[in-house]
Amino acid sequence: MDYEFGDRLMAIGGQMVPASSGEWIVSLNPATEEPIGRAPAGTADDVHRAVAAAEKAQPEWAAKSIWERGALLRKVAAEIRARADEVRKIEAADSGNTIANLNGDMHKASNHFEYFAGLATEMKGETVPATPRGLHMTVREPYGVVGRIVPFNHPFMFAAANIAAPLVAGNAVILKSPETSPLTASIVGEVCNKVLPPGVVNIVSGYGIPVGDAIARHPKVRRIGFTGSIRTGLAIQRAAAETGVKHVSLELGGKNPLIICEDADLEMAVTGAVAGMNFAWAGQSCGSTSRILVHESLYDRAVEMAKAKLEAIRVGDPLDPAAQMGPVNSAAHYQRVMGHIATGRVDGAKLVTGGDRPKGEIFKRGYWVAPTLFANVTMDHRIGREEVFGPVMSFFKWNDFDAAVEIANATEYGLTASIYTRDIGRALGAAKRFQSGVVAVNHTTMHFIGLPFGGYKNSGVGGEECLDELLSYTQTKSIHIAL
Ligand code: NAD
């Protein structure tokens, strides 16, 4: 059968190849459930071949000057920009993310190469006057072969942006793409094959087991960067620990609180809360502001305003530039999201809007969930504690600020937290008390290149999108010289 987007191969050792088993994953358009393309169902053997190719390529890559590496990575950025329209079209059909909003992902994918290439001279060592007649210094060196495993919500952006820092640091990379939206990561492989020496970047598609697991377990992969769920993050830590002492960094889920105080500008706060949900990704963002904690004096108005905003979201074909929200990513994920909504109902939260498929002919097939709002949510409701990773907001009511901060902190997650208030003391106090890696005051934009994005508690270890990320792909050596 011929698919619209064809067979998208893996990049191993500079070649575009199918899986060693000859098996494929057929990718469905989540808006229509129609098959649109295939990606190889990679095997552990494919991972072993990719690691061997990376090991072979890495010493020469690391031996290039930072300027040579930087120049090549800037070319990767330029190639990504040149193919952005093609990528957006495939990605919208493959993931359900809306095409208009995918512009941001394309910029981020290429910006990361330029940003990290420009930071290369910051991979500095130190000298310490440890003895009067010696020279004591540190140098930073690459790990060698780095594994990166990414989730389905930004398949292309993660596949591209996540290889930039390890490459600038002089590592070779094996990247595993997500199995439910696997088509566009292949384009990262094509671009890297065109611009970089063979084997420096290897893209392996396939399921978590065997592909992700084989990367985590490979004894030559000593540095792993993972983005995905807590459950998989824990599995990767365990698998990695069974074969070696490894540096594993984790970017995991969130159940992110947003506190609206009685003195807040309510229109601004509710607009921020809805924007922070990232409905353009059907709420499938780790940073989605899914728990809204509103002071009782504003509560009813806040719920009404949010309901109106959710009902005004234009849900539709992700390929339509006017669509503001598409379907969720896959059949399995649709079942998970609907399961969470069912628990909200069963546990006694009040369903204010959504909760089902939107009405209309095009929504009869596909994995559609209308923007959904639950009110009167408490921490006794699972919908108030568990990450849905879908277009579902929960509104809590509070009358005591300390108790609101306690609720904000009362989950296993600690990715982002926000507060809306005109009281600077309260804002800064909350910023200190939030057990989260990222805090926003009077807005909900969480990603600013140069500042760490990363979680506290079970939301992860290790900040990304900043100098720390680059340095985390180096290991430090101390050198002591007697003069
Ligand atoms: P997931 O954990 O199910 O899968 C992520 C990746 O891990 C996929 O490529 C999958 O194939 C692979 N995988 C699965 N089992 C594996 C195993 N045993 N060993 C190795 N790899 C394995 O996550 P998902 O459903 O794709 O993504 C949703 C989750 O990702 C949410 O929890 C979300 O919050 C989180 N996320 C976090 C960030 C962040 O920056 N903190 C960003 C995006 C998504």
Side-chain angles (χ1 to χ4, degrees):
M1 177 172 176
D2 282 343
Y3 300 104
E4 184 180 359
F5 299 118
D7 288 346
R8 300 278 157 171
L9 300 171
M10 310 192 286
I12 298 182
Q15 306 289 318
M16 297 306 293
V17 296
S20 55
S21 62
E23 300 288 322
W24 296 89
I25 296 172
V26 176
S27 196
L28 305 183
N29 178 338
T32 60
E33 302 180 44
E34 293 299 328
I36 53 168
R38 299 196 305 177
T43 63
D45 260 3
D46 293 323
V47 170
H48 299 158
R49 278 195 295 138
V51 174
E55 241 196 312
K56 188 161 164 239
Q58 189 269 335
E60 223 172 283
W61 176 246
K64 289 187 189 300
S65 74
I66 52 171
W67 309 111
E68 275 181 276
R69 286 207 296 274
L72 289 170
L73 294 173
R74 287 189 174 91
K75 272 193 194 160
V76 171
E79 286 287 326
I80 288 174
R81 288 213 171 85
R83 295 187 68 174
D85 284 344
E86 171 197 357
V87 175
R88 282 195 313 142
K89 190 165 167 230
I90 304 174
E91 182 103 319
D94 196 29
S95 68
N97 297 337
T98 47
I99 195 156
N101 293 290
L102 280 170
N103 273 328
D105 276 27
M106 299 304 116
H107 286 308
K108 201 164 166 187
S110 39
N111 285 350
H112 266 64
F113 287 93
E114 288 159 353
Y115 168 70
F116 283 116
L119 272 189
T121 53
E122 294 306 308
M123 294 187 288
K124 292 169 182 162
E126 296 172 326
T127 59
V128 175
T131 63
R133 299 184 60 79
L135 186 57
H136 303 269
M137 61 186 179
T138 62
V139 291
R140 291 186 176 274
E141 297 182 331
Y143 278 89
V145 181
V146 162
R148 296 223 61 161
I149 301 172
V150 300
F152 67 73
N153 58 332
H154 299 272
F156 182 83
M157 190 266 281
F158 281 138
N162 282 12
I163 63 177
L167 290 174
V168 170
N171 301 283
V173 184
I174 319 293
L175 180 125
K176 183 211 169 297
S177 54
E179 61 268 39
T180 52
S181 302
L183 301 183
T184 52
S186 174
I187 295 173
V188 177
E190 289 170 11
V191 165
C192 291
N193 279 356
K194 181 170 169 194
V195 176
L196 303 178
V200 168
V201 170
N202 304 274
I203 310 280
V204 184
S205 53
Y207 296 101
I209 296 174
V211 173
D213 185 62
I215 293 173
R217 284 178 194 280
H218 199 295
K220 292 284 164 60
V221 181
R222 296 211 162 268
R223 173 76 179 93
I224 299 158
F226 172 71
T227 307
S229 64
I230 293 178
R231 186 177 40 78
T232 308
L234 293 171
I236 287 174
Q237 281 185 324
R238 282 192 298 272
E242 281 178 15
T243 60
V245 173
K246 304 189 180 192
H247 177 171
V248 179
S249 58
L250 302 170
E251 289 279 348
L252 307 176
K255 186 74 182 172
N256 307 297
L258 181 154
I259 297 181
I260 301 179
C261 296
E262 59 272 42
D263 64 350
D265 175 330
L266 190 58
E267 174 59 33
M268 182 169 115
V270 175
T271 302
V274 173
M277 266 303 292
N278 291 325
F279 282 103
W281 277 263
Q284 299 162 120
S285 284
C286 52
S288 289
T289 47
S290 53
R291 285 194 299 151
I292 312 302
L293 282 55
V294 191
H295 186 265
E296 61 181 3
S297 61
L298 303 176
Y299 189 80
D300 291 341
R301 273 171 60 213
V303 169
E304 271 314 303
M305 286 163 74
K307 173 177 185 280
K309 288 182 192 297
L310 264 55
E311 288 172 355
I313 291 172
R314 281 196 300 277
V315 183
D317 181 356
L319 285 154
D320 175 355
Q324 293 173 321
M325 182 179 126
V328 298
N329 183 264
S330 66
H333 195 55
Y334 174 77
Q335 293 303 338
R336 271 197 295 271
V337 172
M338 293 311 285
H340 281 291
I341 290 173
T343 69
R345 287 185 156 125
V346 169
D347 292 353
K350 181 180 168 200
L351 181 65
V352 174
T353 187
D356 216 329
R357 285 171 180 271
K359 306 250 172 308
E361 201 49 38
I362 75 155
F363 304 120
K364 292 204 166 131
R365 278 173 73 78
Y367 315 128
W368 301 95
V369 181
T372 297
L373 193 159
F374 280 102
N376 303 347
V377 178
T378 72
M379 290 303 284
D380 292 333
H381 302 142
R382 284 166 286 180
I383 198 81
R385 303 192 299 266
E386 297 170 358
E387 184 187 38
V388 177
F389 211 57
V392 182
M393 301 182 85
S394 294
F395 275 63
F396 294 64
K397 188 190 286 187
W398 59 271
N399 58 23
D400 173 72
F401 183 67
D402 288 334
V405 175
E406 244 172 67
I407 294 171
N409 287 334
T411 68
E412 65 173 316
Y413 300 98
L415 192 55
T416 79
S418 317
I419 180 166
Y420 280 79
T421 176
R422 291 184 166 98
D423 177 340
I424 184 76
R426 221 178 215 200
L428 293 177
K432 282 188 80 169
R433 288 168 66 191
F434 282 140
Q435 295 162 0
S436 306
V438 186
V439 171
V441 176
N442 291 334
H443 71 107
T444 49
T445 311
M446 303 293 179
H447 295 270
F448 294 91
I449 200 160
L451 285 105
F453 185 84
Y456 279 17
K457 301 195 286 186
N458 279 352
S459 286
V461 278
E464 298 201 334
E465 306 171 25
C466 61
L467 180 59
D468 289 0
E469 180 180 351
L470 177 61
L471 299 184
S472 80
Y473 287 96
T474 66
Q475 43 193 349
T476 307
K477 180 182 278 174
S478 293
I479 302 177
H480 306 286
I481 303 162
L483 297 176

Short mmCIF file of all heavy atoms in Angstrom, two decimals, residues 149-154 158 176-179 206-209 211-213 216 226-233 235-236 251-254 284-287 333 336 387 389 415 447 453 459 464, ligand 1:
data_model
loop_
_atom_site.label_atom_id
_atom_site.label_comp_id
_atom_site.label_asym_id
_atom_site.label_seq_id
_atom_site.Cartn_x
_atom_site.Cartn_y
_atom_site.Cartn_z
N ILE A 149 16.15 10.05 24.29
CA ILE A 149 14.87 9.37 24.05
C ILE A 149 13.77 10.42 24.24
O ILE A 149 13.76 11.10 25.26
CB ILE A 149 14.70 8.20 25.04
CG1 ILE A 149 15.87 7.21 24.87
CG2 ILE A 149 13.35 7.50 24.84
CD1 ILE A 149 15.93 6.11 25.92
N VAL A 150 12.89 10.55 23.24
CA VAL A 150 11.94 11.67 23.27
C VAL A 150 10.49 11.22 23.15
O VAL A 150 10.21 10.15 22.61
CB VAL A 150 12.30 12.72 22.18
CG1 VAL A 150 13.69 13.28 22.39
CG2 VAL A 150 12.17 12.16 20.77
N PRO A 151 9.55 12.07 23.63
CA PRO A 151 8.13 11.73 23.65
C PRO A 151 7.41 12.21 22.38
O PRO A 151 8.03 12.79 21.49
CB PRO A 151 7.62 12.49 24.86
CG PRO A 151 8.44 13.73 24.87
CD PRO A 151 9.79 13.35 24.33
N PHE A 152 6.09 12.01 22.37
CA PHE A 152 5.32 12.24 21.15
C PHE A 152 4.80 13.66 20.97
O PHE A 152 4.27 13.98 19.92
CB PHE A 152 4.13 11.26 21.09
CG PHE A 152 3.07 11.50 22.15
CD1 PHE A 152 2.22 12.59 22.09
CD2 PHE A 152 2.92 10.62 23.22
CE1 PHE A 152 1.25 12.82 23.06
CE2 PHE A 152 1.96 10.83 24.19
CZ PHE A 152 1.12 11.94 24.11
N ASN A 153 4.91 14.51 22.00
CA ASN A 153 4.15 15.76 21.88
C ASN A 153 4.79 16.81 20.99
O ASN A 153 4.09 17.64 20.42
CB ASN A 153 3.79 16.33 23.25
CG ASN A 153 4.98 16.61 24.13
OD1 ASN A 153 6.02 15.96 24.01
ND2 ASN A 153 4.85 17.57 25.01
N HIS A 154 6.14 16.79 20.87
CA HIS A 154 6.81 17.67 19.89
C HIS A 154 7.83 16.79 19.16
O HIS A 154 9.04 16.97 19.36
CB HIS A 154 7.56 18.81 20.59
CG HIS A 154 6.70 19.73 21.40
ND1 HIS A 154 6.09 20.84 20.86
CD2 HIS A 154 6.36 19.72 22.70
CE1 HIS A 154 5.41 21.47 21.80
NE2 HIS A 154 5.56 20.81 22.94
N PHE A 158 11.77 18.02 19.44
CA PHE A 158 12.64 17.33 20.39
C PHE A 158 13.75 16.56 19.67
O PHE A 158 14.89 16.55 20.12
CB PHE A 158 11.84 16.36 21.26
CG PHE A 158 11.09 17.03 22.38
CD1 PHE A 158 9.79 16.66 22.69
CD2 PHE A 158 11.69 18.01 23.15
CE1 PHE A 158 9.09 17.28 23.73
CE2 PHE A 158 11.01 18.63 24.19
CZ PHE A 158 9.70 18.26 24.48
N LYS A 176 16.20 8.22 19.92
CA LYS A 176 15.03 7.38 19.67
C LYS A 176 13.80 8.26 19.51
O LYS A 176 13.48 9.06 20.39
CB LYS A 176 14.80 6.40 20.83
CG LYS A 176 13.63 5.49 20.56
CD LYS A 176 12.93 5.08 21.83
CE LYS A 176 11.62 4.40 21.56
NZ LYS A 176 10.61 5.25 20.88
N SER A 177 13.08 8.09 18.39
CA SER A 177 11.89 8.90 18.14
C SER A 177 10.67 8.22 18.79
O SER A 177 10.71 7.03 19.10
CB SER A 177 11.69 9.04 16.63
OG SER A 177 11.66 7.76 16.02
N PRO A 178 9.57 8.96 18.97
CA PRO A 178 8.37 8.37 19.59
C PRO A 178 7.65 7.45 18.61
O PRO A 178 7.58 7.75 17.42
CB PRO A 178 7.52 9.59 19.91
CG PRO A 178 7.95 10.63 18.95
CD PRO A 178 9.39 10.39 18.65
N GLU A 179 7.08 6.37 19.11
CA GLU A 179 6.48 5.39 18.20
C GLU A 179 5.14 5.82 17.63
O GLU A 179 4.72 5.33 16.58
CB GLU A 179 6.33 4.02 18.88
CG GLU A 179 5.44 3.98 20.11
CD GLU A 179 6.22 4.21 21.40
OE1 GLU A 179 7.15 5.06 21.40
OE2 GLU A 179 5.89 3.57 22.41
N GLY A 206 11.08 3.22 16.71
CA GLY A 206 10.61 1.94 17.25
C GLY A 206 9.96 2.12 18.61
O GLY A 206 9.76 3.25 19.08
N TYR A 207 9.63 1.00 19.21
CA TYR A 207 8.93 1.01 20.50
C TYR A 207 9.93 1.17 21.66
O TYR A 207 11.13 0.92 21.51
CB TYR A 207 8.14 -0.28 20.67
CG TYR A 207 7.05 -0.41 19.64
CD1 TYR A 207 7.22 -1.22 18.51
CD2 TYR A 207 5.87 0.32 19.76
CE1 TYR A 207 6.22 -1.30 17.55
CE2 TYR A 207 4.86 0.23 18.80
CZ TYR A 207 5.05 -0.58 17.69
OH TYR A 207 4.07 -0.65 16.74
N GLY A 208 9.38 1.57 22.82
CA GLY A 208 10.21 1.77 24.01
C GLY A 208 11.04 0.53 24.30
O GLY A 208 12.25 0.61 24.53
N ILE A 209 10.35 -0.60 24.34
CA ILE A 209 11.04 -1.88 24.38
C ILE A 209 10.82 -2.50 23.01
O ILE A 209 9.67 -2.64 22.61
CB ILE A 209 10.48 -2.79 25.50
CG1 ILE A 209 10.77 -2.11 26.86
CG2 ILE A 209 11.12 -4.18 25.46
CD1 ILE A 209 10.13 -2.83 28.04
N VAL A 211 13.73 -0.62 21.66
CA VAL A 211 14.73 0.37 21.24
C VAL A 211 15.23 1.24 22.40
O VAL A 211 16.44 1.33 22.67
CB VAL A 211 14.18 1.25 20.08
CG1 VAL A 211 15.14 2.38 19.75
CG2 VAL A 211 13.95 0.39 18.84
N GLY A 212 14.27 1.88 23.13
CA GLY A 212 14.68 2.76 24.22
C GLY A 212 15.45 1.98 25.29
O GLY A 212 16.48 2.44 25.81
N ASP A 213 14.94 0.81 25.58
CA ASP A 213 15.56 -0.04 26.59
C ASP A 213 16.99 -0.43 26.20
O ASP A 213 17.91 -0.40 27.03
CB ASP A 213 14.69 -1.29 26.77
CG ASP A 213 15.16 -2.19 27.89
OD1 ASP A 213 15.16 -1.72 29.04
OD2 ASP A 213 15.56 -3.33 27.60
N ALA A 216 19.23 2.52 26.81
CA ALA A 216 19.51 2.71 28.24
C ALA A 216 20.50 1.67 28.75
O ALA A 216 21.33 1.96 29.60
CB ALA A 216 18.20 2.64 29.03
N PHE A 226 16.57 11.88 28.88
CA PHE A 226 15.23 11.35 28.59
C PHE A 226 14.18 12.42 28.81
O PHE A 226 14.22 13.15 29.80
CB PHE A 226 14.94 10.14 29.50
CG PHE A 226 13.50 9.67 29.40
CD1 PHE A 226 13.05 9.03 28.25
CD2 PHE A 226 12.60 9.89 30.44
CE1 PHE A 226 11.72 8.62 28.14
CE2 PHE A 226 11.27 9.48 30.34
CZ PHE A 226 10.83 8.84 29.18
N THR A 227 13.22 12.49 27.91
CA THR A 227 12.02 13.32 28.10
C THR A 227 10.82 12.41 27.93
O THR A 227 10.68 11.74 26.91
CB THR A 227 11.97 14.46 27.06
OG1 THR A 227 13.20 15.17 27.11
CG2 THR A 227 10.83 15.42 27.35
N GLY A 228 9.94 12.38 28.94
CA GLY A 228 8.76 11.53 28.85
C GLY A 228 8.11 11.39 30.22
O GLY A 228 8.20 12.29 31.06
N SER A 229 7.47 10.25 30.44
CA SER A 229 6.68 10.07 31.66
C SER A 229 7.56 9.62 32.84
O SER A 229 8.66 9.09 32.64
CB SER A 229 5.60 9.02 31.41
OG SER A 229 6.21 7.77 31.14
N ILE A 230 7.03 9.79 34.04
CA ILE A 230 7.76 9.36 35.25
C ILE A 230 8.01 7.85 35.18
O ILE A 230 9.11 7.38 35.48
CB ILE A 230 6.95 9.71 36.51
CG1 ILE A 230 6.85 11.22 36.67
CG2 ILE A 230 7.58 9.08 37.76
CD1 ILE A 230 6.02 11.66 37.87
N ARG A 231 6.96 7.11 34.79
CA ARG A 231 7.07 5.65 34.78
C ARG A 231 8.25 5.21 33.90
O ARG A 231 9.07 4.40 34.30
CB ARG A 231 5.74 5.06 34.25
CG ARG A 231 5.62 3.57 34.30
CD ARG A 231 4.22 3.14 33.82
NE ARG A 231 3.75 3.91 32.67
CZ ARG A 231 4.16 3.70 31.41
NH1 ARG A 231 4.99 2.75 31.13
NH2 ARG A 231 3.69 4.45 30.44
N THR A 232 8.35 5.79 32.70
CA THR A 232 9.45 5.41 31.81
C THR A 232 10.78 5.92 32.34
O THR A 232 11.81 5.23 32.24
CB THR A 232 9.19 5.93 30.38
OG1 THR A 232 7.89 5.53 29.98
CG2 THR A 232 10.20 5.38 29.40
N GLY A 233 10.76 7.12 32.92
CA GLY A 233 12.00 7.66 33.49
C GLY A 233 12.58 6.73 34.55
O GLY A 233 13.79 6.46 34.58
N ALA A 235 12.00 3.50 34.73
CA ALA A 235 12.44 2.27 34.05
C ALA A 235 13.83 2.49 33.43
O ALA A 235 14.68 1.59 33.46
CB ALA A 235 11.44 1.87 32.97
N ILE A 236 14.05 3.68 32.89
CA ILE A 236 15.35 3.97 32.27
C ILE A 236 16.45 4.03 33.34
O ILE A 236 17.55 3.51 33.15
CB ILE A 236 15.27 5.26 31.43
CG1 ILE A 236 14.46 4.96 30.16
CG2 ILE A 236 16.65 5.82 31.10
CD1 ILE A 236 14.15 6.14 29.30
N GLU A 251 13.51 14.70 32.06
CA GLU A 251 12.52 15.79 31.92
C GLU A 251 11.16 15.11 31.90
O GLU A 251 10.78 14.51 30.88
CB GLU A 251 12.72 16.53 30.58
CG GLU A 251 13.95 17.37 30.50
CD GLU A 251 13.79 18.72 31.16
OE1 GLU A 251 12.64 19.09 31.49
OE2 GLU A 251 14.80 19.38 31.37
N LEU A 252 10.43 15.17 33.01
CA LEU A 252 9.24 14.32 33.14
C LEU A 252 7.96 15.15 33.20
O LEU A 252 7.94 16.30 32.81
CB LEU A 252 9.43 13.40 34.34
CG LEU A 252 10.75 12.60 34.31
CD1 LEU A 252 10.93 11.78 35.56
CD2 LEU A 252 10.87 11.74 33.07
N GLY A 253 6.92 14.57 33.73
CA GLY A 253 5.60 15.18 33.63
C GLY A 253 5.36 16.29 34.64
O GLY A 253 6.20 16.62 35.47
N GLY A 254 4.15 16.89 34.55
CA GLY A 254 3.78 17.95 35.47
C GLY A 254 2.29 17.94 35.74
O GLY A 254 1.49 17.41 34.95
N GLN A 284 -1.35 18.61 25.58
CA GLN A 284 -0.31 17.59 25.76
C GLN A 284 1.05 18.27 25.93
O GLN A 284 1.96 18.12 25.11
CB GLN A 284 -0.30 16.63 24.57
CG GLN A 284 -1.61 15.90 24.40
CD GLN A 284 -1.76 15.31 23.02
OE1 GLN A 284 -1.90 14.11 22.88
NE2 GLN A 284 -1.72 16.13 22.00
N SER A 285 1.17 19.05 27.00
CA SER A 285 2.42 19.71 27.32
C SER A 285 2.76 19.39 28.76
O SER A 285 1.88 19.46 29.63
CB SER A 285 2.30 21.23 27.18
OG SER A 285 2.31 21.59 25.83
N CYS A 286 4.04 19.11 28.99
CA CYS A 286 4.46 18.83 30.37
C CYS A 286 4.19 20.04 31.25
O CYS A 286 3.91 19.92 32.42
CB CYS A 286 5.94 18.47 30.39
SG CYS A 286 6.95 19.69 29.54
N GLY A 287 4.27 21.25 30.64
CA GLY A 287 4.11 22.48 31.42
C GLY A 287 2.67 22.99 31.47
O GLY A 287 2.42 24.09 31.98
N HIS A 333 -3.69 7.02 23.76
CA HIS A 333 -3.70 8.22 24.59
C HIS A 333 -5.13 8.75 24.76
O HIS A 333 -5.48 9.24 25.84
CB HIS A 333 -2.77 9.28 24.00
CG HIS A 333 -2.47 10.35 24.99
ND1 HIS A 333 -1.95 10.09 26.25
CD2 HIS A 333 -2.66 11.70 24.96
CE1 HIS A 333 -1.84 11.21 26.93
NE2 HIS A 333 -2.27 12.19 26.17
N ARG A 336 -6.61 6.93 27.53
CA ARG A 336 -6.08 7.40 28.82
C ARG A 336 -6.77 8.70 29.24
O ARG A 336 -7.20 8.84 30.38
CB ARG A 336 -4.56 7.65 28.71
CG ARG A 336 -3.69 6.44 29.02
CD ARG A 336 -2.25 6.86 29.31
NE ARG A 336 -1.59 7.46 28.17
CZ ARG A 336 -0.92 6.78 27.24
NH1 ARG A 336 -0.81 5.46 27.32
NH2 ARG A 336 -0.34 7.40 26.24
N GLU A 387 -1.48 13.59 36.32
CA GLU A 387 -1.27 14.27 35.04
C GLU A 387 -2.18 13.65 33.98
O GLU A 387 -2.15 12.44 33.77
CB GLU A 387 0.20 14.13 34.58
CG GLU A 387 0.48 14.90 33.30
CD GLU A 387 1.87 14.65 32.73
OE1 GLU A 387 2.35 13.50 32.78
OE2 GLU A 387 2.48 15.61 32.23
N PHE A 389 -2.33 15.05 30.71
CA PHE A 389 -1.64 15.24 29.44
C PHE A 389 -2.66 15.28 28.30
O PHE A 389 -2.55 14.61 27.28
CB PHE A 389 -0.61 14.12 29.22
CG PHE A 389 0.59 14.58 28.43
CD1 PHE A 389 1.36 15.64 28.85
CD2 PHE A 389 0.96 13.94 27.24
CE1 PHE A 389 2.47 16.07 28.12
CE2 PHE A 389 2.06 14.36 26.50
CZ PHE A 389 2.81 15.42 26.95
N LEU A 415 7.09 20.61 38.26
CA LEU A 415 7.68 21.16 37.04
C LEU A 415 7.54 22.68 37.00
O LEU A 415 8.51 23.40 37.11
CB LEU A 415 7.06 20.48 35.81
CG LEU A 415 7.79 20.74 34.48
CD1 LEU A 415 9.25 20.36 34.55
CD2 LEU A 415 7.11 20.00 33.35
N HIS A 447 9.22 28.91 28.70
CA HIS A 447 10.46 28.58 27.99
C HIS A 447 11.14 29.86 27.50
O HIS A 447 10.58 30.59 26.69
CB HIS A 447 10.18 27.68 26.79
CG HIS A 447 9.66 26.33 27.18
ND1 HIS A 447 10.49 25.25 27.42
CD2 HIS A 447 8.40 25.90 27.40
CE1 HIS A 447 9.76 24.20 27.76
NE2 HIS A 447 8.49 24.57 27.76
N PHE A 453 14.99 24.91 31.97
CA PHE A 453 13.66 24.34 32.07
C PHE A 453 13.85 22.93 32.61
O PHE A 453 14.53 22.11 31.98
CB PHE A 453 12.95 24.30 30.72
CG PHE A 453 11.53 23.84 30.84
CD1 PHE A 453 10.52 24.72 31.17
CD2 PHE A 453 11.20 22.49 30.68
CE1 PHE A 453 9.20 24.29 31.32
CE2 PHE A 453 9.89 22.05 30.82
CZ PHE A 453 8.89 22.96 31.15
N SER A 459 9.28 15.37 38.83
CA SER A 459 9.24 15.95 37.48
C SER A 459 10.60 15.94 36.81
O SER A 459 10.70 16.33 35.64
CB SER A 459 8.67 17.37 37.51
OG SER A 459 7.28 17.32 37.72
N GLU A 464 17.28 22.08 31.22
CA GLU A 464 17.68 22.09 29.80
C GLU A 464 17.45 23.48 29.21
O GLU A 464 16.99 24.39 29.87
CB GLU A 464 16.88 21.04 29.04
CG GLU A 464 17.18 19.64 29.58
CD GLU A 464 16.85 18.51 28.62
OE1 GLU A 464 15.96 18.70 27.77
OE2 GLU A 464 17.50 17.45 28.72
P1 NAD B 1 6.55 7.87 27.55
O1 NAD B 1 7.36 7.85 28.80
O2 NAD B 1 5.48 6.88 27.40
O3 NAD B 1 7.48 7.70 26.26
C1 NAD B 1 8.58 8.57 26.01
C2 NAD B 1 9.60 7.83 25.17
O4 NAD B 1 10.14 6.76 25.94
C3 NAD B 1 9.02 7.20 23.90
O5 NAD B 1 9.94 7.37 22.85
C4 NAD B 1 8.90 5.74 24.29
O6 NAD B 1 8.96 4.86 23.20
C5 NAD B 1 10.11 5.56 25.19
N1 NAD B 1 10.02 4.41 26.10
C6 NAD B 1 8.91 3.78 26.55
N2 NAD B 1 9.24 2.76 27.38
C7 NAD B 1 10.59 2.75 27.45
C8 NAD B 1 11.53 1.95 28.15
N3 NAD B 1 11.15 0.95 28.95
N4 NAD B 1 12.85 2.23 28.03
C9 NAD B 1 13.26 3.25 27.26
N5 NAD B 1 12.42 4.04 26.55
C10 NAD B 1 11.10 3.81 26.65
O7 NAD B 1 5.99 9.35 27.43
P2 NAD B 1 4.98 9.92 26.33
O8 NAD B 1 3.64 9.37 26.61
O9 NAD B 1 5.56 9.80 24.97
O10 NAD B 1 5.03 11.48 26.69
C11 NAD B 1 4.24 12.03 27.68
C12 NAD B 1 5.02 12.34 28.94
O11 NAD B 1 6.18 13.11 28.63
C13 NAD B 1 4.20 13.19 29.90
O12 NAD B 1 4.35 12.71 31.20
C14 NAD B 1 4.84 14.56 29.74
O13 NAD B 1 4.63 15.43 30.84
C15 NAD B 1 6.27 14.23 29.54
N6 NAD B 1 7.02 15.34 28.92
C16 NAD B 1 7.91 16.04 29.67
C17 NAD B 1 8.59 17.12 29.13
C18 NAD B 1 9.56 17.95 29.94
O14 NAD B 1 10.30 18.72 29.35
N7 NAD B 1 9.58 17.83 31.25
C19 NAD B 1 8.35 17.49 27.80
C20 NAD B 1 7.44 16.74 27.07
C21 NAD B 1 6.77 15.67 27.62
#
